[in-house]
Amino acid sequence: MPTDLPKQYDPREAQQRWLTFWDERGYFHSRPDESREPFCIVIPPPNVTGALHMGHALNNTLQDVLVRWRRMQGYNTLWMPGTDHAAIATQAVVEKRVREEEGKTRHDLGREELVRRIWRWTDQYGAHILNQLKQLGASCDWSRTRFTLDPVCARAVRQTFFNMFRDGYIYRGKRLVNWDTQLQTSVADDETYSETIKGGFWTFKYPVKGTNEFVRFSTTRPETMLGDTAVAVHPNDERYRHLIGMMVTIPLVGRDIPIIADGLLVDPALGTGCVKVTPAHDPNDYACGQRHRLPMINLLNPDGTINENGGKYAGLDRYKAREAVIEDMEALGLFEGREDRDISLKYSDRSKTPIEPYLSDQWFVKMGDREDGKPSFAQTATDAVTSGKVKFFPERYAKAYLDWLGEKRDWCISRQLWYGHRIPVWTYPGMVGFDTPTEAINHAKRLKALEDCLRAWETAGRVAIALSETDEQNPDLRRVTYPWYVCVLNADDKEIVSALEAEHFNQEPDVLDTWFSSALWPHSTLGWPGPALPDQPPGPQNPEWAQMRYHYPTNVLVTNRDIISLWVVRMVITGLYNVGEVPFHHVYIHPKILDAFGEGMSKMKGNGVDPLDIIDLYGTDALRFGMVHLSTENQDSKLPVSNVCPHCGAQVAVKREHMYMRTRKITCPECKKPFRPGGPWPKPDPDLPTAKQGSERFEMGRNFANKLWNAARFLLLNLEAYTPGALRIEELPIEDRWILSRLATTTAAVTKSLEGYQFSEVARTVYDFTWSEFCDWYVEMSKDRLRDAASRPTAQRVLAGVLDTILRLVHPVMPFVAESIWQALGETAFERGLPAPEPSAESVVIAPWPSFPPSWPDAAMEKRIARMQDLVRAVREVRNRYDLKKDSGLEVFVRCDEAVAGDFRALTAFISSLAGVRKLQCGPAVAKPPQSATTVHQDFEAYVSLRGLIDVDAEAKRLEKQLAEKHKHLQGTRAKLQNESFTSKAPPEIVQQQRDLVADLENQIGVLEGNLRELRQA
């Protein structure tokens, strides 16, 4: 008895059923097997700072498509899941909560308590986001889930740091960094963003010593005058050439500073032609200071207040100090004026507060050339791409990778945080208050015994030692005059740690940049450096590197362009350094999803769609299809966002005024009830329900799932008495040979698109074949044969075989609907397939990827059917154009050459049933009958007789009335666009809508005029 699918597909029920089914059978678990070819992807680990967003939905859907496809191809697939501790972001979130709820800072809590709370947050949200990934259908090996702070990853981090420290790639130095005064840590250039704000531009003057002259300069940060160490002019500027080498006085602190010549810093055509130089608080000034060996005076405390170098301004917040400096300079008669200007200000992406350039001691990874001849990290990573070992898709993104490496900027890896991988270095601070060199030397001798131990431990590979500077004249004194650093390999090496701390060595308080641990992700997750940790048995959570090395290098990284320099480059560097091989062969850079206005999506803006809301509204299959369909190769994708009315479900487009919580209340145009638009609201509104946010773009995927479901339901109802059997393609009727040719062509196209990471083409190709060619054409062409006992068995076998293949093609993109239909099909047609039947796989997840004989595609035959389809569409268009009844049989006359006529005659049965044609006449001598509608095709002209089917006069009046209405509408729209008040004040998207409407109305008018001409000619 045939299986009867429910009338409607229930995506929620399917999701829960098949997630459990797949998990119980272990389809996603992978074990090393040298007899099989591996395919491995490591997930870009999402931060544990919150919930899934559309970026995660896009990124992980595309990865899952690749993994499911390769699994079906027979590869031993491993998709390694995990999460990132995201030190800065996570600590920022927890600190903010503590500040808002308890009014305390991290210093009030202390390091141990703050870290305990962060771990509690991490446990909660790490599990939450992994569960969300499962709801997306991600086919990861969940038994191998990693976390960048877990013991396996932590060992890899420590080993890498130790090796780089030992080999001279890691050093400590005083450099100018981006400083986040709220989080009180350095941040990378790539973790900042700039915004243009309205700000002040002040002009002051300094008196030149020994003269009556002044030098005038302008600044956007007057407080930094307290740290000036020079005033620069251009060496060829005649106005100031005579002053070069003279001194000026900073009256606020009484410091004399030189006037220097610097043609790189100063443009004489800009402003006053003089530039104040504050090397410790501006990157351009810092470079100038290095060129001229200027003193570098740090003015700031870590919290952004002025330190003791600011004299009487010490203790003031920098912005309060700014006001005080301006007031004092004005009182001294040295203030010359203020302008309001647009100023580009750099912000921390983590705290959203302004960045301060800040001179501080930090740890760095050296990227550039080395004096000892060892290969530089920048060069080895560059070679990996230029040699083709790592390839980017699309290829253009290799340029961003290579350009960043070409700068050879050293990587600041220290962060002034409490959460993360603490830097495993113990520092002896140098001079500790000795009054004379003799006392210091005596103290150094007492350290000699410790140094002897350290050298022995260094030889044993337990520590690595570095001095920041040397004093060749007095090697004993250098031990206490200059800091020296001891890196300890094993965190549990109590003998070494105790010995160091007994002699007043202190462990570095800073933690490593999160990207340092993330850079190791492709090999640390597999257990590098090995062996398995001794405190637990080997297994998925304690991998043996010697075994898991089978999965390295991984095959492809799927990520976005924003982290090419932050992550992709660094994974290549560490993979080559630690393992000797690149971490992946391919890097696919997917597009960004933007809203209808071209802005990046964000919950903070109020335009961010929650993927779980989409799943709730449309189903997971629809979300996944939408993500794949949006993933074009050439550009970012716009996703119009709507507020979903909480009362009636109508979608109300998000407007700019709805974003950033600017609008509290809107009224649904459908049900007329008020609600609050979606956004980052801090708490529920007691008076208004808050809308979820969605997008009509996902309706395409939902409709596709329903279309496939309905086609499968029809087929299952018509598989009664199904018997499996082999098919001989040369014996099949033309419609069967056509669908099998199209199936083979489609399968090859989908496979090629997947191999080239052309995801949008995958979605489009599968959609077009399934919806149009299979459902709309072939199923309809098969209905008469299903009613005929003689032809029924073959039709059933072809239908079942084609549906089987469609499910395999659909599965990587829409796994839940594919599995639902696969299981139902297996109950009725367990043995099926093309060209010969085989027992059905237990799940579509492990069904082989389809492939067909190269002889199946038949371009000539496909062209014959395509021409027939064009004729059917032409007849249908005439029926719709003249509003002809569906049951009215039409007479169709086709003028064409004899070969085409022969095809049409052979296909008459299909043309008649599909287009409602009762008479078909075709050939080169066919003449156009009176009162007929004409369609011109490159291979034929078709005439549909309208005699007796329409009232010509009445039809003409109807068309004339429509034309008049369209012309009136067009005239009004054009008038609106000619109104400067409208075009200048209306939002740009509204103006564009009106322009699009003009084009659409002009097209409609052209069609109506053509119909009217044709009617009158008849």
Side-chain angles (χ1 to χ4, degrees):
M1 183 174 178
T3 300
D4 185 10
L5 284 177
K7 289 185 177 181
Q8 290 186 325
Y9 172 54
D10 183 346
R12 187 172 297 151
E13 186 274 337
Q15 179 180 349
Q16 298 310 314
R17 178 195 295 187
W18 303 125
L19 285 175
T20 302
F21 176 81
W22 296 331
D23 183 60
E24 289 175 348
R25 282 156 179 77
Y27 294 143
F28 307 153
H29 182 57
S30 175
R31 297 178 181 85
D33 182 351
E34 295 295 339
S35 67
R36 299 174 62 197
E37 187 172 353
F39 180 84
C40 181
I41 292 180
V42 290
I43 196 171
N47 295 345
V48 292
T49 50
L52 205 67
H53 55 63
M54 289 304 290
H56 292 121
L58 172 65
N59 180 269
N60 289 286
T61 295
L62 300 182
Q63 290 178 82
D64 196 42
V65 168
L66 293 173
V67 171
R68 287 178 180 270
W69 164 56
R70 291 299 192 184
R71 185 182 291 119
M72 296 175 76
Q73 285 190 319
Y75 288 86
N76 186 6
T77 57
L78 170 61
W79 185 11
M80 179 73 74
T83 52
D84 195 308
H85 66 284
I88 292 181
T90 307
Q91 182 166 324
V93 169
V94 175
E95 281 196 55
K96 181 180 179 182
R97 174 173 287 193
V98 169
R99 187 167 58 251
E100 291 176 350
E101 295 180 358
E102 304 176 40
K104 295 181 179 179
T105 68
R106 61 169 157 166
H107 301 285
D108 295 325
L109 294 180
R111 184 167 193 150
E112 184 176 340
E113 174 60 17
L114 180 72
V115 170
R116 186 188 69 80
R117 295 194 186 194
I118 295 173
W119 271 104
R120 187 170 63 193
W121 170 279
T122 297
D123 291 341
Q124 176 185 351
Y125 280 93
H128 178 60
I129 203 164
L130 289 172
N131 180 64
Q132 289 180 308
L133 288 171
K134 291 178 182 179
Q135 298 306 307
L136 265 179
S139 60
C140 298
D141 185 349
W142 299 106
S143 69
R144 298 189 184 279
T145 301
R146 297 254 64 90
F147 178 51
T148 50
L149 272 180
D150 69 26
V152 171
C153 293
R155 178 180 62 172
V157 168
R158 193 153 185 146
Q159 183 73 60
T160 302
F161 185 96
F162 181 88
N163 293 349
M164 288 184 176
F165 182 93
R166 177 199 62 204
D167 295 344
Y169 286 104
I170 287 180
Y171 68 92
R172 183 171 174 82
K174 190 178 288 290
R175 300 288 186 276
L176 197 68
V177 297
N178 299 308
W179 189 260
D180 185 322
T181 59
Q182 178 169 308
L183 298 176
Q184 297 183 36
T185 181
S186 62
V187 295
D189 287 341
D190 306 275
E191 295 172 314
T192 67
Y193 65 94
S194 295
E195 285 189 358
T196 299
I197 65 166
K198 294 291 185 183
F201 191 67
W202 292 267
T203 300
F204 302 95
K205 60 185 179 182
Y206 284 156
V208 180
K209 291 196 69 173
T211 74
N212 294 323
E213 295 187 68
F214 295 85
V215 290
R216 299 170 62 253
F217 59 89
S218 299
T219 179
T220 60
R221 297 187 297 158
E223 70 278 9
T224 60
M225 285 191 287
L226 303 173
D228 286 353
T229 56
V231 173
V233 298
H234 195 277
N236 298 327
D237 193 333
E238 294 295 339
R239 293 173 295 175
Y240 304 114
R241 183 179 291 178
H242 67 289
L243 297 178
I244 296 172
M246 300 183 73
M247 307 293 284
V248 299
T249 300
I250 306 175
L252 300 176
V253 290
R255 183 168 59 249
D256 293 340
I257 60 176
I259 300 173
I260 62 174
D262 193 306
L264 295 177
L265 180 65
V266 182
D267 183 343
L270 294 179
T272 66
C274 295
V275 177
K276 59 184 286 299
V277 184
T278 319
H281 293 284
D282 182 273
N284 294 321
D285 293 3
Y286 177 76
C288 174
Q290 290 185 310
R291 289 192 294 271
H292 295 272
R293 299 181 179 275
L294 297 174
M296 299 195 181
I297 301 173
N298 178 27
L299 286 174
L300 295 179
N301 294 311
D303 63 356
T305 57
I306 303 298
N307 64 21
E308 66 279 3
N309 292 326
K312 70 176 184 178
Y313 305 96
L316 291 178
D317 177 83
R318 63 195 186 281
Y319 297 118
K320 292 293 184 183
R322 177 179 300 178
E323 296 173 4
V325 164
I326 295 169
E327 183 178 335
D328 290 349
M329 288 292 283
E330 186 172 10
L332 292 169
L334 301 175
F335 170 62
E336 297 217 334
R338 178 187 189 275
E339 298 178 35
D340 288 327
R341 289 196 178 183
D342 290 335
I343 297 171
S344 179
L345 191 62
K346 186 183 285 190
Y347 288 84
S348 167
D349 191 44
R350 301 306 181 186
S351 67
K352 313 302 180 187
T353 57
I355 284 291
E356 286 292 339
Y358 184 73
L359 190 67
S360 67
D361 289 310
Q362 302 287 340
W363 290 91
F364 295 87
V365 171
K366 184 174 180 59
M367 297 293 295
D369 300 333
R370 294 172 52 113
E371 295 179 359
D372 58 8
K374 290 182 180 179
S376 74
F377 283 157
Q379 190 59 54
T380 56
T382 296
D383 293 344
V385 169
T386 57
S387 68
K389 292 180 180 178
V390 175
K391 295 182 179 180
F392 278 82
F393 297 82
E395 187 178 355
R396 65 181 180 273
Y397 288 110
K399 184 178 186 302
Y401 173 101
L402 294 172
D403 286 351
W404 189 86
L405 282 170
E407 297 177 9
K408 298 182 180 180
R409 284 187 290 170
D410 289 352
W411 172 16
C412 179
I413 58 171
S414 49
R415 297 292 183 267
Q416 290 63 53
L417 303 169
W418 291 351
Y419 175 63
H421 296 278
R422 191 168 178 181
I423 292 176
V425 172
W426 275 255
T427 304
Y428 185 76
M431 293 298 291
V432 290
F434 301 111
D435 294 330
T436 66
T438 300
E439 291 181 17
I441 290 172
N442 289 337
H443 181 69
K445 290 177 179 178
R446 292 197 300 273
L447 292 174
K448 186 68 172 65
L450 174 61
E451 183 175 6
D452 292 341
C453 290
L454 288 173
R455 294 302 178 188
W457 292 331
E458 184 179 37
T459 302
R462 294 167 66 185
V463 302
I465 303 172
L467 299 175
S468 66
E469 298 179 51
T470 60
D471 182 344
E472 300 299 336
Q473 301 301 317
N474 197 336
D476 287 327
L477 182 59
R478 78 183 183 194
R479 295 188 185 94
V480 291
T481 304
Y482 302 101
W484 51 319
Y485 309 109
V486 179
C487 182
V488 181
L489 174 60
N490 191 335
D492 298 324
D493 201 329
K494 292 185 172 57
E495 178 187 13
I496 296 175
V497 173
S498 298
L500 290 170
E501 292 180 348
E503 294 299 337
H504 308 293
F505 280 72
N506 300 311
Q507 185 179 359
E508 280 289 315
D510 295 351
V511 301
L512 287 168
D513 175 16
T514 298
W515 294 106
F516 191 90
S517 54
S518 300
L520 314 180
W521 191 246
H523 56 280
S524 66
T525 53
L526 298 174
W528 182 89
L533 297 173
D535 57 349
Q536 55 180 301
Q541 281 300 304
N542 187 22
E544 284 279 10
W545 168 244
Q547 296 177 2
M548 297 302 289
R549 179 72 171 77
Y550 161 85
H551 285 290
Y552 188 94
T554 65
N555 295 80
V556 59
L557 174 73
V558 179
T559 187
N560 75 70
R561 63 179 180 266
D562 290 344
I563 54 176
I564 289 176
S565 59
L566 284 168
W567 194 39
V568 180
V569 167
R570 292 162 181 175
M571 282 189 286
V572 174
I573 288 171
T574 62
L576 290 168
Y577 178 72
N578 286 336
V579 188
E581 289 188 73
V582 296
F584 29 71
H585 297 299
H586 291 173
V587 179
Y588 171 68
I589 305 295
H590 59 68
K592 281 185 172 183
I593 300 178
L594 310 176
D595 69 7
F597 312 116
E599 293 194 26
M601 287 190 170
S602 166
K603 288 188 176 180
M604 289 301 296
K605 294 179 182 177
N607 67 343
V609 180
D610 186 333
L612 296 186
D613 286 349
I614 298 299
I615 290 174
D616 186 52
L617 290 167
Y618 301 103
T620 307
D621 292 313
L623 170 65
R624 290 170 61 104
F625 181 87
M627 294 291 94
V628 177
H629 192 259
L630 284 173
S631 297
T632 59
E633 184 176 294
N634 297 323
Q635 60 186 6
D636 294 336
S637 297
K638 289 186 178 181
L639 185 70
V641 180
S642 299
N643 287 298
V644 181
C645 175
H647 307 290
C648 70
Q651 296 206 11
V652 183
V654 169
K655 300 180 180 179
R656 289 187 183 275
E657 57 263 32
H658 298 162
M659 296 164 61
Y660 299 100
M661 297 185 290
R662 288 186 293 233
T663 301
R664 177 179 173 266
K665 176 182 175 181
I666 59 178
T667 301
C668 175
E670 297 295 327
C671 67
K672 311 302 180 186
K673 293 181 180 179
F675 62 87
R676 183 172 69 170
W681 304 101
K683 57 185 178 180
D685 189 309
D687 302 317
L688 295 170
T690 302
K692 292 181 178 180
Q693 290 184 312
S695 174
E696 293 181 352
R697 191 69 62 86
F698 295 103
E699 290 184 1
M700 183 179 185
R702 180 179 62 186
N703 294 342
F704 182 39
N706 290 335
K707 182 80 169 183
L708 180 58
W709 183 265
N710 291 333
R713 187 167 182 270
F714 166 82
L715 175 58
L716 291 171
L717 291 172
N718 284 275
L719 284 183
E720 189 169 358
Y722 166 86
T723 57
L727 298 171
R728 294 175 61 86
I729 193 167
E730 65 275 9
E731 298 175 357
L732 296 175
I734 186 171
E735 66 269 27
D736 288 353
R737 285 182 283 126
W738 167 73
I739 196 65
L740 295 182
S741 174
R742 291 298 306 134
L743 182 65
T745 301
T746 297
T747 299
V750 171
T751 304
K752 182 179 179 181
S753 294
L754 285 168
E755 289 170 345
Y757 307 103
Q758 295 176 319
F759 291 98
S760 184
E761 281 299 297
V762 172
R764 185 195 61 79
T765 304
V766 173
Y767 179 93
D768 287 349
F769 175 80
T770 303
W771 189 294
S772 177
E773 294 173 311
F774 181 67
C775 295
D776 288 352
W777 291 98
Y778 182 72
V779 170
E780 293 300 318
M781 295 163 73
S782 300
K783 286 182 177 179
D784 287 341
R785 293 170 59 207
L786 288 172
R787 290 188 283 266
D788 179 74
S791 60
R792 181 181 178 89
T794 299
Q796 287 179 324
R797 291 165 191 160
V798 175
L799 281 163
V802 174
L803 180 59
D804 173 285
T805 302
I806 287 173
L807 296 177
R808 298 176 199 236
L809 296 175
V810 165
H811 158 255
V813 180
M814 307 172 75
F816 296 103
V817 69
E819 188 70 83
S820 298
I821 298 173
W822 182 271
Q823 297 297 332
L825 185 59
E827 294 179 15
T828 300
F830 178 71
E831 291 189 41
R832 61 183 187 271
L834 300 170
E838 294 179 352
S840 172
E842 181 183 49
S843 167
V844 70
V845 168
I846 56 173
W849 185 252
S851 63
F852 298 101
S855 61
W856 276 26
D858 184 339
M861 191 260 296
E862 289 188 19
K863 182 178 180 180
R864 293 167 62 194
I865 297 295
R867 192 162 46 212
M868 181 270 290
Q869 291 172 324
D870 288 341
L871 177 59
V872 171
R873 292 189 187 98
V875 176
R876 289 174 173 174
E877 192 277 328
V878 171
R879 187 184 294 276
N880 291 333
R881 188 195 315 169
Y882 293 100
D883 197 22
L884 303 179
K885 295 180 180 179
K886 291 184 179 181
D887 59 356
S888 57
L890 302 178
E891 294 182 0
V892 178
F893 304 85
V894 183
R895 180 187 297 161
C896 56
D897 63 37
E898 191 53 44
V900 174
D903 284 345
F904 285 155
R905 294 187 194 107
L907 297 168
T908 297
F910 298 126
I911 296 172
S912 297
S913 63
L914 294 169
V917 174
R918 65 181 177 86
K919 178 182 177 181
L920 176 66
Q921 183 177 331
C922 45
V926 167
K928 178 180 179 180
Q931 289 192 13
S932 61
T934 303
T935 297
V936 178
H937 186 276
Q938 62 181 5
D939 293 333
F940 61 83
E941 286 187 18
Y943 316 111
V944 180
S945 175
L946 302 175
R947 187 184 295 274
L949 299 176
I950 63 170
D951 182 329
V952 175
D953 292 336
E955 182 66 18
K957 289 180 180 179
R958 185 180 71 85
L959 293 175
E960 289 169 348
K961 182 179 179 183
Q962 287 186 7
L963 265 175
E965 291 173 351
K966 299 297 181 185
H967 276 296
K968 182 178 180 181
H969 194 177
L970 177 61
Q971 183 180 1
T973 307
R974 282 175 173 167
K976 185 183 293 186
L977 287 171
Q978 291 167 0
N979 185 340
E980 185 179 350
S981 177
F982 169 76
T983 55
S984 62
K985 295 180 180 179
E989 62 271 17
I990 299 299
V991 176
Q992 187 58 47
Q993 286 176 6
Q994 296 301 304
R995 290 177 177 144
D996 293 342
L997 179 58
V998 166
D1000 184 47
L1001 287 168
E1002 288 174 342
N1003 180 64
Q1004 292 180 44
I1005 288 170
V1007 171
L1008 289 170
E1009 288 175 342
N1011 292 345
L1012 190 57
R1013 280 195 305 271
E1014 188 173 76
L1015 190 65
R1016 286 170 174 162
Q1017 289 171 359

